[in-house]
Amino acid sequence: GINAEYGGITLDYCSDLSFILIRFYNFEMIKVDVKSCGKQPLGAMSRGVQQMNPGSFRGKAQGSNKKVQPKKLVIKNFVAPVVTSQQLDELWTRLQQGLSDILQTGDTRNKSSLLDDADNLCIHGDQMELYRKIEQEVKRHMTCCSEEFAKKQFPSNTAFLRELADIWGKHSKQTYLIRNIFNYLERRYVMLSHKQLLPLWEMGAATFRRELMCVNNVSNKCVEGMLSLIEQERCGDDIDG
């Protein structure tokens, strides 16, 4: 290698490579042709050092250091959207159809849209009215189930209890889905503002007991059927659970 001093800086040149030394701001950019300098004396090699205009780099550096005026962040008061009574009626129409599908067939294909409609109706509508409407829908469905259950004839206590357990199992799943859809209503309204109201799950269970178990002597038949099965089991008979 060959050493040369330029501008108070000692440069170390390789015999077979070229390089570029760049210094920004107040330094110069130096370009050295090493191939040509390796075959020439130091005096001639020093002439191979070409100085570039440092003003271009200084201009860019000074231009990039310009102070940028900060932008003001303006926070405006939230303005709640205006929801008309017609829009609220449309929301409830969709929710009512969704509740009917859940109670009849357990259909949850539109669960995401029902969640949005339930939240919007709870925020912009009357929460107490919404709770009562849900309660009425559940009550109407359980009344129909009670009437159909009363018309059936069961050959044994086991068949009677199996049918009753099937109705309760379906009703439990339906109430669970309804509670998930109206979760915002339950958490922000029922549980906090109106604690005298039953949570949606307990409301569904109370409706099942009131509309099904307490009519047509179903509760007494259920107790009698269970006692009969217990007696059969104690006598050694196999009980189909």
Side-chain angles (χ1 to χ4, degrees):
I2 303 174
N3 297 330
E5 183 175 352
Y6 179 76
I9 302 174
T10 303
L11 305 177
D12 185 8
Y13 303 101
C14 299
S15 59
D16 58 345
L17 297 175
S18 339
F19 70 92
I20 298 176
L21 175 64
I22 303 176
R23 289 174 174 266
F24 292 95
Y25 301 106
N26 295 327
F27 296 90
E28 298 175 353
M29 180 176 181
I30 307 170
K31 180 178 180 182
V32 182
D33 185 0
V34 180
K35 291 184 179 180
S36 61
C37 295
K39 300 179 182 180
Q40 297 179 4
L42 185 61
M45 184 176 63
S46 63
R47 291 192 296 269
V49 179
Q50 301 176 355
Q51 299 183 8
M52 298 184 66
N53 184 15
S56 59
F57 293 96
R58 294 194 184 108
K60 293 180 180 179
Q62 293 174 359
S64 61
N65 290 336
K66 290 182 179 180
K67 293 183 178 180
V68 179
Q69 295 295 332
K71 296 182 179 180
K72 294 182 179 180
L73 178 62
V74 180
I75 301 177
K76 298 181 179 180
N77 295 330
F78 175 74
V79 180
V82 179
V83 181
T84 62
S85 58
Q86 181 180 0
Q87 292 175 329
L88 294 177
D89 293 339
E90 293 176 357
L91 288 175
W92 170 244
T93 301
R94 293 196 296 267
L95 284 173
Q96 188 177 25
Q97 182 61 42
L99 287 174
S100 178
D101 294 339
I102 292 175
L103 294 173
Q104 295 294 333
T105 61
D107 185 12
T108 58
R109 290 177 297 178
N110 299 325
K111 184 178 179 180
S112 59
S113 61
L114 292 177
L115 284 169
D116 296 336
D117 292 340
D119 292 347
N120 291 329
L121 189 57
C122 181
I123 293 172
H124 303 291
D126 188 343
Q127 294 84 3
M128 176 64 78
E129 182 181 1
L130 177 59
Y131 181 89
R132 296 304 182 192
K133 287 181 177 180
I134 298 171
E135 188 177 22
Q136 289 296 324
E137 290 296 321
V138 177
K139 179 181 178 181
R140 184 181 298 108
H141 172 69
M142 288 310 306
T143 301
C144 295
C145 292
S146 177
E147 293 175 355
E148 294 178 0
F149 185 72
K151 295 177 182 179
K152 294 182 179 180
Q153 299 295 329
F154 303 99
S156 63
N157 293 329
T158 303
F160 174 83
L161 294 176
R162 186 183 294 114
E163 180 68 19
L164 185 62
D166 184 62
I167 295 175
W168 167 250
K170 292 180 180 179
H171 180 72
S172 299
K173 295 179 181 179
Q174 294 162 357
T175 306
Y176 179 76
L177 290 173
I178 293 173
R179 186 186 65 174
N180 288 344
I181 292 174
F182 294 94
N183 187 38
Y184 184 85
L185 174 67
E186 185 175 69
R187 289 188 297 104
R188 300 298 299 272
Y189 180 72
V190 177
M191 302 297 293
L192 297 179
S193 302
H194 291 74
K195 296 183 179 180
Q196 75 277 9
L197 297 176
L198 292 176
L200 294 178
W201 171 262
E202 297 181 14
M203 181 268 290
T207 304
F208 178 86
R209 180 175 61 253
R210 183 177 61 252
E211 300 299 328
L212 182 64
M213 297 298 294
C214 297
V215 297
N216 299 324
N217 206 22
V218 174
S219 179
N220 293 335
K221 291 180 181 179
C222 181
V223 174
E224 293 175 358
M226 295 179 66
L227 292 176
S228 176
L229 292 178
I230 293 173
E231 183 178 359
Q232 294 177 19
E233 185 178 19
R234 288 177 177 178
C235 292
D237 296 339
D238 293 333
I239 303 301
D240 184 9

